């Protein structure tokens, strides 16, 4: 087994998610230590939270806000925000985000109020 894994996000098909559309890498690895998501935010992004993983959002393109437990936090390219377990969140604005989930993203752990 190799000591690394490579994924080309440009080759993955986008799928719908509560924040817009995403391309998810490393979600199917058995070690489930982290996953990477290339996220295009939509205007219909929904507030949600997770109980089992932390997310790191890095803004790649665009500007806007991250709504974090009701607080509107302004973000711009190369800002990075750690979103802790249980924090209600959504992205607001036209942005492209690189999202790292630690441990790996679990679709059964997306909760909506």
């Amino acid at each position: 087994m190799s000591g690394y894994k490579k994924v080309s996000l440009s080759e993955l098909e986008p799928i719908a998610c509560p924040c817009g559309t995403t391309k998810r890498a490393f979600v199917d690895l058995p070690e489930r230590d982290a996953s990477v998501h290339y996220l295009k935010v939509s205007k219909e992004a929904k507030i949600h939270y997770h109980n089992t993983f932390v997310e790191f959002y890095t803004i790649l393109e665009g500007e806007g806000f991250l709504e974090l437990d009701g607080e509107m936090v302004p973000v711009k390219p190369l800002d990075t925000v750690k979103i802790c377990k249980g924090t209600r969140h959504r992205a607001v604005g036209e942005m492209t985000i690189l999202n790292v989930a630690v441990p790996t993203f679990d679709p059964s752990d997306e909760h909506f109020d």
Side-chain angles (χ1 to χ4, degrees), residues 47-61:
I47 295 173
H48 63 285
Y49 64 96
H50 314 284
N51 290 320
T52 63
F53 58 92
V54 171
E55 293 180 289
F56 294 87
Y57 277 26
T58 299
I59 312 309
L60 299 177
E61 298 175 346

Side-chain angles (χ1 to χ4, degrees), residues 69-101:
D69 282 339
E71 180 181 349
M72 298 300 278
V73 177
V75 291
K76 62 186 183 326
L78 298 183
D79 285 351
T80 300
V81 177
K82 177 183 177 183
I83 303 173
C84 297
K85 297 173 187 177
T87 301
R88 272 86 176 146
H89 63 280
R90 72 177 175 137
V92 180
E94 291 186 30
M95 294 180 279
T96 303
I97 296 172
L98 188 68
N99 172 6
V100 178

Side-chain angles (χ1 to χ4, degrees), residues 4-48:
Y4 72 92
K5 304 287 185 218
K6 178 185 174 193
V7 173
S8 293
L9 291 169
S10 63
E11 295 175 7
L12 298 177
E13 289 297 318
I15 58 172
C17 70
C19 292
T21 59
T22 189
K23 297 179 177 191
R24 295 180 175 145
F26 309 118
V27 293
D28 56 351
L29 297 179
E31 54 269 22
R32 302 200 47 80
D33 49 3
S35 57
V36 176
H37 311 252
Y38 182 79
L39 171 63
K40 294 277 191 172
V41 177
S42 76
K43 292 179 182 176
E44 295 80 31
K46 296 176 177 66
I47 295 173
H48 63 285

